[in-house]
C-alpha cells in the first residue's frame, strides 16, 4: 500500500490532482519530496493544524522527504482563504519569532536534518523580490478571471469588507513557493487543507508553464467534531501544541473528552496505530470505548509532547477520575500503561502560594483567576453562580467565599472548574 492509499484509508484525502499519475509518482519515483505550508500568525500551532503535520509524518515514515514551509513571507501579506475579513498584518520580527516556535513543535512529529525533513521559510526568497520583475516573470502566467473564480477570493469578494489588493497577490506568492521548491528541492507534491485547493492548483499550473514539468496536489477535509464544532476549538479557546498555552494535562483531557462518534476517526487521523487495530473500536461501547479514548489521549499527547508527559497526564487522570484497567487486546500497539496505576497527581497544573496569604484569607473568585482556571474575576463569579466551581470536591456557592487554612486537605487545595479542569495549589510555609 503506497502512502497516498494509506492517507486515503485513514481519512486524510479529500481531493487530489492527477490521481493515477500521483500514485505512479509515489510508487515508482521514491523518495518523493512534498511540502505543506504553515502560516506563522501566532507563536504556536494548535490541534486544527494537525492534519498536514500528521500527513508529512506519514510521508516520512513511508520513505519520502517532507518539507515544512513556514510562511514568513506570505505571512506578511495574509492568506484570504477561509476568512471573511482581512487578517492582521504582522511585522517581520513577529513572523520570525513565531516561526521558531512552530519549528520546535513540528520537530516532535517529523525528524529534521541528516537527510530527513527540512524546514524552510519563504521569507528567504519572497522578501527580496523585485516587484516589476516578479510581475513580468510570474504575474503574466495568471488569469485574473480564473483567480476570481477561486473559492477563497469569491467568498471575500462577496463579504462586506471585500478583498484587499495585498491579499489578491497571495495566490501568486504561494504558487511561486511551489516553483521555488521544485527548482531547489525537486518538490513534486503540495498538500494542504481544502481551502488551499485554488492556491495549490495555481502552483501546479505555474510549474508546468515555466518548467514543463507535472507536479501534484492533495487536499484534506476540514475536520469538525460530530457535534459540529471546529476541530481544536473549545469554549475555553484553542487547544495549543505549546505546553505553556495548553498544558500536557489539559491536552490529554481534550482528547479523552472526544465524542463517542469521533473516536475511530480521531484514532485514524491523529495517531499512528495500525488501522487493523483501530477498526474494531467501532464496535465498542461504554467502558470499553472509554478505554479507547484513554489510548487516543495518551498517543496524541505522546506525539505533541513526549512519552513522560503522556504518562504523567494519564496518571493524573487516574487520580482525578479513577483507575482504568486497559485490556491488552485493545489497540495493542500502544504502549499506554495497562495495569491499574496508583494515585499520582503528576501532570495536574500546579502552583504554590504562601501560607501567610492563606491565613489572611483569599476570595475564592480571585483564586480561580490567579491560577488561570478563569480569564477574569467576573468569569470566576459567573462560574460560581452557575454551580461549576469546586474546592477539594465541595461545590462553592458563595462568590466571595474566603479560602483559608481551614480549607486545606493535607497541605494542598484542589480547585475544579466544571467537570474536567483542575488546578492544584500547594502551600509554602
Amino acid at each position: 500500500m503506497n502512502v497516498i492509499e494509506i492517507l486515503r484509508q485513514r481519512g486524510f484525502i479529500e481531493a487530489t490532482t492527477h490521481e493515477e499519475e500521483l500514485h505512479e509518482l509515489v510508487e515508482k519515483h521514491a523518495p518523493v519530496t512534498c511540502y505543506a505550508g504553515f502560516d506563522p500568525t501566532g507563536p504556536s500551532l494548535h490541534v486544527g493544524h494537525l492534519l498536514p503535520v500528521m500527513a508529512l509524518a506519514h510521508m516520512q515514515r513511508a520513505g519520502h522527504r517532507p518539507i515544512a514551509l513556514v510562511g514568513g513571507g506570505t505571512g506578511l501579506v495574509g492568506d484570504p482563504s477561509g476568512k471573511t475579513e482581512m487578517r492582521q498584518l504582522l511585522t517581520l520580527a513577529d513572523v520570525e519569532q513565531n516561526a521558531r516556535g512552530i519549528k520546535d513543535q513540528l520537530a516532535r512529529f517529523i525528524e529534521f536534518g541528516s537527510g530527513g525533513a527540512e524546514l524552510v521559510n519563504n521569507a528567504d526568497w519572497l522578501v527580496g523580490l523585485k516587484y516589476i520583475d516578479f510581475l513580468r516573470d510570474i504575474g503574466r502566467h495568471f488569469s485574473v478571471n480564473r483567480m476570481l473564480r477561486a473559492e477563497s477570493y469569491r467568498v471575500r469578494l462577496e463579504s462586506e469588507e471585500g478583498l484587499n489588493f495585498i491579499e489578491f497577490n497571495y495566490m501568486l506568492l504561494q504558487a511561486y513557493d511551489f516553483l521555488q521548491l521544485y527548482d531547489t528541492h525537486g518538490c513534486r507534491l503540495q498538500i494542504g487543507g481544502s481551502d488551499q485547493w485554488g492556491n495549490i492548483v495555481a502552483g501546479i499550473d505555474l510549474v508546468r508553464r515555466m518548467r514543463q514539468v507535472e507536479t501534484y496536489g492533495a487536499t484534506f477535509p476540514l475536520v469538525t467534531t460530530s457535534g459540529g464544532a471546529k476541530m481544536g476549538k473549545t469554549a475555553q479557546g484553542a487547544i495549543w501544541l505549546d505546553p505553556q498555552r495548553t498544558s500536557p494535562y489539559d491536552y490529554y483531557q481534550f482528547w479523552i473528552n472526544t465524542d463517542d462518534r469521533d473516536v475511530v476517526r480521531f484514532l485514524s487521523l491523529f495517531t499512528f496505530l495500525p488501522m487493523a487495530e483501530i477498526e474494531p473500536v467501532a464496535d465498542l461501547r461504554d467502558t470499553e470505548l472509554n478505554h479507547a479514548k484513554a489510548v487516543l489521549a495518551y498517543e496524541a499527547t505522546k506525539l505533541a509532547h513526549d512519552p513522560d508527559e503522556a504518562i504523567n497526564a494519564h496518571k493524573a487522570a487516574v487520580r482525578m477520575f479513577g483507575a482504568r484497567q486497559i485490556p491488552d487486546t485493545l489497540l495493542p500497539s500502544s504502549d499506554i500503561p495497562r495495569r491499574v496505576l496508583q494515585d499520582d497527581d503528576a501532570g495536574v497544573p500546579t502552583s504554590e502560594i504562601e501560607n501567610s496569604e492563606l491565613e489572611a484569607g483569599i476570595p475564592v473568585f480571585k483564586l480561580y483567576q490567579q491560577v488561570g482556571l478563569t480569564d477574569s474575576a467576573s468569569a470566576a463569579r459567573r462560574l460560581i453562580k452557575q454551580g461549576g466551581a469546586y474546592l477539594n470536591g465541595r461545590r462553592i456557592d458563595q462568590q466571595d467565599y474566603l479560602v483559608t487554612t481551614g480549607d486545606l486537605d493535607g497541605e494542598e487545595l484542589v480547585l475544579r472548574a466544571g467537570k474536567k479542569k483542575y488546578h492544584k495549589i500547594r502551600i509554602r510555609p
Side-chain angles (χ1 to χ4, degrees), residues 134-405:
F134 182 75
L135 290 179
R136 286 174 60 89
D137 297 339
I138 305 301
R140 66 189 179 90
H141 294 291
F142 286 79
S143 162
V144 171
N145 290 352
R146 185 181 302 171
M147 291 174 67
L148 293 177
R149 288 197 295 269
E151 178 73 11
S152 57
Y153 287 160
R154 186 183 60 77
V155 170
R156 287 299 304 278
L157 285 169
E158 294 173 357
S159 71
E160 183 176 343
E161 182 171 331
L163 180 69
N164 189 288
F165 177 73
I166 191 173
E167 298 172 298
F168 188 67
N169 288 270
Y170 190 91
M171 182 179 288
L172 280 71
L173 297 176
Q174 185 167 326
Y176 185 71
D177 286 344
F178 206 169
L179 177 66
Q180 178 75 13
L181 292 178
Y182 172 75
D183 287 345
T184 58
H185 295 76
C187 182
R188 301 284 300 277
L189 172 63
Q190 181 182 173
I191 58 178
S194 57
D195 60 343
Q196 295 299 313
W197 178 259
N199 295 329
I200 292 173
V201 171
I204 291 170
D205 186 57
L206 181 63
V207 176
R208 182 173 57 248
R209 288 172 179 268
M210 297 193 68
R211 300 293 182 262
Q212 293 75 54
V213 172
E214 197 66 68
T215 52
Y216 307 92
T219 58
F220 312 131
L222 174 66
V223 179
T224 58
T225 67
S226 291
K230 194 171 182 179
M231 185 63 187
K233 298 289 186 179
T234 68
Q236 290 74 40
I239 303 300
W240 302 98
L241 303 191
D242 181 350
Q244 301 304 313
R245 288 170 167 248
T246 299
S247 72
Y249 174 78
D250 287 335
Y251 193 83
Y252 179 98
Q253 286 300 311
F254 167 77
W255 293 104
I256 210 165
N257 289 322
T258 295
D259 188 295
D260 290 358
R261 297 167 291 178
D262 293 325
V263 177
V264 170
R265 184 161 57 110
F266 288 0
L267 281 166
S268 304
L269 293 172
F270 302 116
T271 79
F272 293 112
L273 298 176
M275 286 302 297
E277 297 178 10
I278 292 173
E279 288 166 354
V281 173
D283 297 325
L284 302 182
R285 298 290 182 272
D286 303 327
T287 300
E288 290 181 325
L289 190 57
N290 288 334
H291 291 157
K293 291 181 184 182
V295 176
L296 168 63
Y298 172 81
E299 292 293 325
T301 305
K302 185 172 68 170
L303 287 172
H305 298 288
D306 61 48
D308 288 341
E309 293 288 3
I311 289 174
N312 286 341
H314 181 62
K315 289 179 177 180
V318 166
R319 180 182 185 274
M320 294 299 179
F321 307 113
R324 287 189 171 97
Q325 181 74 50
I326 299 173
D328 292 338
T329 54
L330 175 65
L331 300 163
S333 294
S334 174
D335 62 357
I336 187 173
R338 298 191 180 256
R339 62 184 176 82
V340 177
L341 298 170
Q342 298 301 314
D343 282 356
D344 193 323
D345 61 1
V348 178
T350 303
S351 58
E352 295 184 344
I353 61 173
E354 300 286 347
N355 187 62
S356 57
E357 292 184 65
L358 205 57
E359 287 178 342
I362 305 174
V364 69
F365 71 88
K366 289 186 177 180
L367 203 55
Y368 267 79
Q369 180 188 11
Q370 181 178 321
V371 302
L373 281 175
T374 60
D375 295 331
S376 64
S378 59
R381 288 181 178 276
R382 285 196 300 273
L383 179 71
I384 296 166
K385 185 177 180 180
Q386 293 165 1
Y390 292 80
L391 173 62
N392 290 339
R394 175 172 55 87
R395 177 177 289 173
I396 302 165
D397 53 14
Q398 300 174 41
Q399 297 181 29
D400 296 319
Y401 180 82
L402 279 182
V403 182
T404 68
T405 53

Side-chain angles (χ1 to χ4, degrees), residues 49-108:
H49 294 113
L50 280 180
L51 238 60
V53 176
M54 292 295 291
L56 288 180
H58 277 290
M59 293 292 296
Q60 187 171 52
R61 286 171 171 239
H64 302 289
R65 184 189 182 200
I67 296 175
L69 181 146
V70 175
T74 43
L76 298 173
V77 173
D79 182 3
S81 303
K83 295 291 182 180
T84 58
E85 59 186 23
M86 184 176 177
R87 297 174 189 254
Q88 182 179 355
L89 295 181
L90 303 174
T91 67
L92 186 58
D94 290 335
V95 167
E96 289 175 348
Q97 180 179 350
N98 293 345
R100 287 192 293 271
I102 289 171
K103 181 179 180 181
D104 290 342
Q105 292 160 20
L106 290 172
R108 300 178 192 140

